[in-house]
């Protein structure tokens, strides 16, 4: 039985179009993500990957198309709307405040924090305890949650950004090039963290130009080409050369057949 028959996607996009003036960033794009699935999204520069993710995360409204969360049609007018439905995005650089502590970053700007008192006052001991508990759950190692984020390595920062994204019942975590700026040994840690999210039932969308990342961690890979769906396959049914071809706009006969099969 295919996954499709078994369950409703945790997030689904149908017929998404996005135009920036005369530029067509996305044209009639479809995407499905299931619970506990890691979906790799690949494509050349300008293929529309980041734009699609920003639409799923509520940062941009689409010009056309629909988004469903757990099968229900949703309309996001801000990232806050998406977050309230459990859709989180980890941005490459802008996610964290370097001058704040790890725990403060995790709880920054969260509704729940406000419950601790007036004036968005954060209960210090509670925030430290919960931050530590959450990092432990994700097996993220830092010297102390009191460390300032600017003292961390790139990989640790990325891990804290992922911790922030998952601290409040996320169902979907979208990551746009999370390993692009990392040293080799830090890359593996972030990818293992993604596997861990998967094991906790979270759906992950991973944009990466690094096929090593894609083939290490993803269950399925989809390629966009010039703003359109181009090809997709479970990882076990494709290989690096084929995926490189998709990125360049070449489809092998096998992939074409798979796509036709998918549509039926
Ligand atoms: N805010 C914007 N204003 C105008 N054009 C934009 C904007 N964002 C994206 N675009 C255009 O939309 C198209 C898709 O861009 P997008 O950033 O989604 O590509 P990408 O697949 O993420 O590329 P990369 O791999 O380089 O990150 C490009 O032609 C880009 O120039
Ligand atoms: Mg991009």
């Amino acid at each position: 039985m295919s996954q499709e028959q078994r369950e409703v996607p945790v997030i689904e996009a149908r017929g998404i179009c996005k135009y920036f003036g005369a530029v067509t960033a996305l044209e009639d794009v479809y995407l499905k993500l299931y619970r506990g699935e890691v979906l790799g999204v690949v494509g050349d520069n300008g293929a529309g990957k980041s734009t699609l993710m920003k639409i799923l995360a509520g940062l941009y409204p689409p010009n056309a198309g629909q988004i469903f969360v757990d099968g229900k049609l949703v309309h996001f007018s801000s990232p806050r709307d998406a977050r309230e439905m459990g859709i989180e995005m980890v941005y490459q650089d802008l996610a964290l405040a370097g001058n704040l502590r790890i725990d403060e970053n995790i709880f920054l700007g969260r509704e729940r924090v406000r419950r601790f008192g007036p004036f968005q006052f954060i209960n210090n001991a509670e925030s430290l305890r919960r931050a530590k508990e959450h990092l432990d759950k994700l097996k993220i190692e830092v010297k102390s949650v009191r460390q300032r984020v600017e003292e961390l390595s790139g990989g640790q920062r990325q891990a804290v950004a992922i911790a922030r994204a998952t601290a409040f019942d996320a169902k979907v975590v979208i990551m746009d090039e999370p390993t692009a700026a990392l040293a080799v040994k830090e890359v593996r840690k972030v990818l293992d963290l993604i596997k861990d999210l998967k094991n906790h039932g979270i759906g992950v969308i991973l944009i990466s130009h690094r096929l090593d990342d894609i083939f290490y961690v993803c269950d399925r890979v989809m390629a966009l080409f010039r703003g359109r769906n181009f090809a997709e396959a479970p990882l076990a049914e494709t290989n690096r050369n084929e995926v490189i071809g998709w990125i360049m706009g070449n489809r092998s006969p096998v992939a074409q057949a798979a796509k036709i099969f998918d549509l039926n």
Side-chain angles (χ1 to χ4, degrees), residues 20 23 25 43-52 60 177 209:
F20 293 107
V23 175
D44 206 352
N45 296 117
K49 305 179 297 294
S50 296
T51 303
L52 180 59
Y60 295 156
E177 300 278 359
H209 283 280

Side-chain angles (χ1 to χ4, degrees), residues 134-224:
H134 187 59
L135 292 181
D136 287 349
K137 182 175 150 203
L138 295 176
K139 302 187 197 87
I140 296 171
E141 286 170 28
V142 290
K143 262 191 277 175
S144 154
V145 289
R146 288 189 182 85
Q147 261 186 301
R148 286 183 201 287
V149 161
E150 61 201 1
E151 296 166 14
L152 302 177
S153 74
Q156 286 175 318
R157 274 180 215 213
Q158 197 66 44
V160 171
I162 292 168
R164 173 177 156 74
T166 53
F168 296 95
D169 302 326
K171 289 191 266 199
V172 173
V173 177
I174 299 169
M175 300 190 203
D176 195 347
E177 300 278 359
T179 61
L182 302 186
V184 176
K185 71 171 196 221
E186 293 193 321
V187 169
R188 180 59 74 99
K189 283 194 181 160
V190 169
L191 296 178
D192 285 336
L193 186 49
I194 292 174
K195 287 192 173 183
D196 214 49
L197 299 183
K198 170 190 167 69
N199 292 336
H200 282 92
I202 296 173
V204 177
I205 303 179
L206 171 68
I207 297 182
S208 184
H209 283 280
R210 298 164 39 99
L211 291 187
D212 283 350
D213 293 7
I214 298 284
F215 276 83
Y216 181 65
V217 81
C218 294
D219 299 299
R220 190 157 55 91
V221 57
M222 71 173 255
L224 294 178

